[in-house]
Amino acid sequence: MKKQVCGSGNIALASHNEGSYAHYFSRINELEDNEEIIYMTNKGERRYKVCESKIIKETDLSILRETEENIITLITCVKGQDENRLCVIGKEE
């Protein structure tokens, strides 16, 4: 039986991709459409498929919107572009 990780909607996670001890997204730029993202917590796991990757402005909060479907939004900086962020979105399988 699949454990409930959390309610439905948009799970948004942000991390560094280099230059810090906490650079969990060091290979995020290598993710391609339909690749699997596994989100694990002590309550269980969810599996997502990458459906979109895009560069957004650091001030663009629209990616944090509430959604009806279960998605995961991964956000990190873009090297040499302080005003931009790389955003990878996955839909739950």
Side-chain angles (χ1 to χ4, degrees), residues 5-14 25 28 31 35-41 45-54 63-65 67-75 86-93:
V5 175
C6 63
S8 64
N10 184 0
I11 296 172
L13 303 171
F25 292 169
I28 191 173
L31 286 172
E35 283 197 79
E36 187 173 58
I37 299 168
I38 302 172
Y39 176 58
M40 296 187 313
T41 72
E45 71 178 40
R46 284 195 171 161
R47 293 174 181 266
Y48 301 85
K49 292 280 186 173
V50 173
C51 62
E52 184 177 5
S53 294
K54 60 184 177 179
I63 56 155
L64 303 177
R65 74 193 183 290
T67 60
E68 293 291 322
E69 60 189 337
N70 291 338
I71 65 170
I72 192 165
T73 304
L74 308 178
I75 307 160
L86 171 60
C87 179
V88 176
I89 300 168
K91 289 186 181 180
E92 188 173 30
E93 298 181 306

Side-chain angles (χ1 to χ4, degrees), residues 7-46:
S8 64
N10 184 0
I11 296 172
L13 303 171
S15 180
H16 295 289
N17 59 41
E18 69 177 9
S20 168
Y21 70 91
H23 55 275
Y24 300 110
F25 292 169
S26 62
R27 297 183 67 197
I28 191 173
N29 62 321
E30 298 173 17
L31 286 172
E32 296 181 3
D33 283 353
N34 294 314
E35 283 197 79
E36 187 173 58
I37 299 168
I38 302 172
Y39 176 58
M40 296 187 313
T41 72
N42 60 353
K43 293 185 177 185
E45 71 178 40
R46 284 195 171 161

